[in-house]
Amino acid sequence: MSGKELRIVFMGTPEFAVPSLRALVAGGYNVVGVVTSPDKPAGRGQRLHESDVKIAARELGLPILQPVKLRDPEFVEAMRALQPDLGIVIAFRMLPEMIWAMPRLGTFNLHASLLPQYRGAAPINWAIINGETETGVTTFLLNHEIDKGAIIGQIREPIHPEDTIGTMYDRLMRIGTGLVLETVERIAAGKIQPIEQQGIDETTLHPAPKIFKEDCRIDWSKPGKRIIDFIRGLSPYPAAWTAMYRDGAGEEQTAKIFAARFEAADHPEIACGTVESDGRTFIRVACADGWVRLEELQIAGKKRLPVRELLLGWRDVLQYRFEK
């Protein structure tokens, strides 16, 4: 059987899922419905914000379901009415069994890591933060546990020293699209041999939990490479940040750091977090084993700028101090 004969229900919310949805439709696959998150108030005026997947699905003329609760009888019945042969999930909520087991061929998920490593909500970020040199994408069959279903396929991808979450996100999004189409065809042809994620020493695995603002604060007491990887893994979003200075009212002012490089040095007499600058061309911050030279940052309430441009308008930088 060809994958194009299957009735497919696609479930996802963010941009990462959109290329796969578009590729399925462009390739002639029969996407009978799209499930995505409900519209949410956002921004000034709290206007309702539609998910990237909903916007794409509407452009493609696909039926859209936006359940508030995935066990809602009305949603369950709407899913049954679609008579799905296969479910595809990319960056969506955890599904109850009544939904993921409904398609006769099951439901598979695309995850942006080489499972079983980096299970969780932020796999690309954490792979870079932890200094990995390789990551990838995985398709796996859904079961009762998050990201622990039997693996169908994987594609490996190197992480280059200059990569950030932004560049890796784009590459894995593109690579993942190809793996999704390949997985559909293999399932349709009955040519999968899923590998169970069992018998694994959990202590050898790196988790990938959701990242919150406080998790993004730079610890200048760490080695330089760790700090650079931390910045890369959070650039451009949500962005690593640091306290910059206290204003006249004593309020802490912060800055997001988007790019930096490490300069090894032995400076035992200089406290970590100490800032140095010539006021014209560079800002660098002392860390455990050298200096982190800042290259691009955004002071709260200001524009994102390269350091040289920032210093043109901030001649008094030397009076300020980065805080640990």
Side-chain angles (χ1 to χ4, degrees):
M1 174 184 287
S2 165
K4 295 177 183 179
E5 299 175 57
L6 301 179
R7 295 177 61 83
I8 296 171
V9 171
F10 186 94
M11 292 169 265
T13 295
E15 177 192 20
F16 193 82
V18 171
S20 293
L21 176 60
R22 290 190 181 279
L24 286 164
V25 174
Y29 291 86
N30 185 20
V31 180
V32 296
V34 173
V35 182
T36 191
S37 297
D39 300 347
K40 295 179 180 179
R44 292 183 179 179
Q46 292 292 284
R47 292 184 179 181
L48 288 179
H49 173 78
E50 297 178 332
S51 76
D52 293 322
V53 165
K54 179 183 179 181
I55 293 169
R58 186 173 60 243
E59 290 174 359
L60 295 167
L62 301 173
I64 300 168
L65 299 174
Q66 294 181 273
V68 174
K69 296 182 179 179
L70 297 174
R71 297 178 185 273
D72 186 288
E74 186 176 341
F75 169 64
V76 174
E77 185 54 40
M79 282 285 290
R80 285 201 186 99
L82 294 174
Q83 298 180 306
D85 296 312
L86 179 66
I88 300 174
V89 174
I90 304 176
F92 194 56
R93 291 176 278 172
M94 185 176 181
L95 299 177
E97 183 176 2
M98 66 178 68
I99 300 300
W100 59 256
M102 187 182 295
R104 65 181 183 86
L105 295 175
T107 299
F108 76 84
N109 184 291
L110 173 71
H111 188 73
S113 83
L114 297 174
L115 290 174
Q117 293 290 357
Y118 296 103
R119 295 169 177 155
I124 312 175
N125 300 88
W126 285 108
I128 299 173
I129 289 170
N130 288 339
E132 302 285 1
T133 58
E134 184 181 56
T135 185
V137 288
T138 301
T139 49
F140 67 96
L141 293 170
L142 290 190
N143 64 9
H144 298 92
E145 299 182 274
I146 296 176
D147 299 337
K148 293 187 178 181
I151 293 170
I152 303 171
Q154 288 187 329
I155 297 176
R156 311 181 86 85
E157 178 68 13
I159 300 176
H160 303 298
E162 67 276 12
D163 275 323
T164 65
I165 175 62
T167 60
M168 286 307 304
Y169 183 98
D170 289 345
R171 289 217 304 280
L172 294 183
M173 182 167 60
R174 183 180 69 252
I175 293 166
T177 297
L179 184 58
V180 165
L181 299 183
E182 176 189 316
T183 300
V184 171
E185 288 299 337
R186 288 175 59 195
I187 290 174
K191 294 182 179 180
I192 63 169
Q193 295 180 319
I195 301 171
E196 297 290 342
Q197 297 186 56
Q198 296 177 347
I200 299 167
D201 181 356
E202 297 286 329
T203 65
T204 66
L205 301 182
H206 298 293
K210 186 175 180 179
I211 295 173
F212 298 93
K213 180 181 179 181
E214 194 54 40
D215 301 323
C216 300
R217 185 166 188 164
I218 298 170
D219 180 354
W220 297 109
S221 68
K222 290 186 176 180
K225 184 182 183 306
R226 289 281 304 276
I227 294 173
I228 296 301
D229 290 342
F230 185 76
I231 293 169
R232 292 168 55 227
L234 297 171
S235 178
Y237 182 82
W241 63 275
T242 184
M244 282 289 285
Y245 61 95
R246 293 190 180 277
D247 61 20
E251 293 292 324
E252 183 178 83
Q253 301 299 308
T254 62
K256 293 179 178 180
I257 311 299
F258 296 98
R261 57 188 171 88
F262 173 54
E263 299 174 344
D266 182 17
H267 50 50
E269 73 287 354
I270 299 178
C272 292
T274 299
V275 64
E276 282 193 358
S277 174
D278 63 357
R280 295 179 296 105
T281 62
F282 75 87
I283 302 173
R284 65 180 187 175
V285 187
C287 61
D289 55 352
W291 297 94
V292 173
R293 184 178 286 253
L294 307 185
E295 296 186 334
E296 191 172 4
L297 66 159
Q298 181 178 14
I299 296 173
K302 306 294 183 181
K303 293 196 301 184
R304 174 177 170 176
L305 292 169
V307 162
R308 284 177 178 266
E309 291 184 29
L310 174 71
L311 290 176
L312 286 175
W314 195 29
R315 294 296 186 185
D316 296 328
V317 66
L318 291 178
Q319 70 178 285
Y320 300 135
R321 170 186 166 79
F322 286 75
E323 297 180 1
K324 290 183 283 185

